[in-house]
Amino acid sequence: MSKLIKIRPARSDDELKQGASYVGYEWAVMAGARLVDWHKDVPEDKSFHAIVSHSARTELILLHARALYDFLFYPTPRDDDVISIDVLGVNNARTWEDNRGNNCQKLCPILNQNRDRIHKMLAHLSYDRKKLKEKDGPHPDVIERELIAAFKEFWSLMEPNYQNLFKGGLHEASSEHFPFIQELSEECC
């Protein structure tokens, strides 16, 4: 059994449902930011409005994509982090954990390759930022496709009781904004 699975604290159904609502929120904000077009009418100056308008949409997409990636593949989880294996059950959690490195490279190759870059661009002040230009990063459509594929793979490992629990939390936050969550729910339940 994986060392990580042994040391993860057991979570109550209420905690797991709350965690699912956090995951749903991440999907909703990422998808919502991707669908808006307010960034297209940005003044061509160096005003505060122009700077924020230019960067905010991209940062919202990348920030919430990174949170979803970390939920699925948990690079360095802490005890209080909401991570995918918490809702898989022991056997399926072991399967996911044993294949986690391969899964993140197979299911999210672009996001996996750019995770540290995204971190430095959004959440970590680094002298390397000048080298990391926003326009060189992954396209939001690619990020979304990769995360949907990874989430479907994760979902397929969930036992029906966990799917039902998780589905309830997801719906609280995002099903109307992200149709694939509705599709997953209908497939399983």
Side-chain angles (χ1 to χ4, degrees):
M1 181 179 293
S2 166
K3 183 179 178 183
L4 180 60
I5 295 170
K6 284 182 189 177
I7 61 170
R8 288 293 297 168
R11 299 291 177 193
S12 70
D13 286 357
D14 286 342
E15 287 176 306
L16 294 174
K17 187 175 178 182
Q18 185 63 52
S21 74
Y22 298 152
V23 172
Y25 170 80
E26 300 300 330
W27 280 114
V29 174
M30 184 186 78
R34 197 180 65 71
L35 296 173
V36 299
D37 62 2
W38 46 261
H39 65 291
K40 293 179 181 176
D41 296 321
V42 177
E44 294 293 325
D45 58 24
K46 299 257 184 209
S47 69
F48 177 72
H49 177 313
I51 293 167
V52 170
S53 296
H54 173 73
S55 300
R57 177 179 179 265
T58 301
E59 289 186 12
L60 279 172
I61 293 166
L62 294 178
L63 179 69
H64 294 282
R66 190 184 77 160
L68 290 166
Y69 178 90
D70 287 356
F71 163 75
L72 289 164
F73 302 114
Y74 45 93
T76 54
R78 293 179 288 277
D79 284 349
D80 64 338
D81 286 352
V82 177
I83 63 173
S84 55
I85 62 171
D86 291 343
V87 293
L88 288 179
V90 174
N91 290 332
N92 292 337
R94 185 179 305 120
T95 299
W96 185 258
E97 173 67 13
D98 290 346
N99 294 308
R100 179 169 47 117
N102 291 333
N103 282 344
C104 68
Q105 291 175 18
K106 177 182 82 171
L107 299 169
C108 294
I110 303 299
L111 195 50
N112 183 55
Q113 182 179 22
N114 283 278
R115 185 190 177 280
D116 288 342
R117 180 186 175 282
I118 292 168
H119 180 68
K120 284 183 180 183
M121 291 294 292
L122 294 176
H124 178 78
L125 293 176
S126 168
Y127 290 106
D128 287 343
R129 273 190 181 185
K130 187 173 183 172
K131 299 176 200 172
L132 307 169
K133 293 186 172 94
E134 183 179 308
K135 65 182 181 204
D136 297 332
H139 191 277
D141 291 345
V142 172
I143 290 171
E144 183 179 291
R145 277 194 304 273
E146 286 186 354
L147 286 169
I148 288 173
F151 197 84
K152 285 183 176 182
E153 182 77 19
F154 153 72
W155 188 271
S156 73
L157 289 174
M158 265 199 268
E159 297 166 8
N161 60 320
Y162 284 115
Q163 286 178 339
N164 283 326
L165 181 77
F166 206 73
K167 174 182 73 165
L170 285 174
H171 280 287
E172 288 177 6
S174 69
S175 65
E176 72 182 68
H177 306 290
F178 221 69
F180 101 88
I181 291 174
Q182 181 66 36
E183 293 167 18
L184 285 174
S185 300
E186 290 169 0
E187 288 175 20
C188 79
C189 310

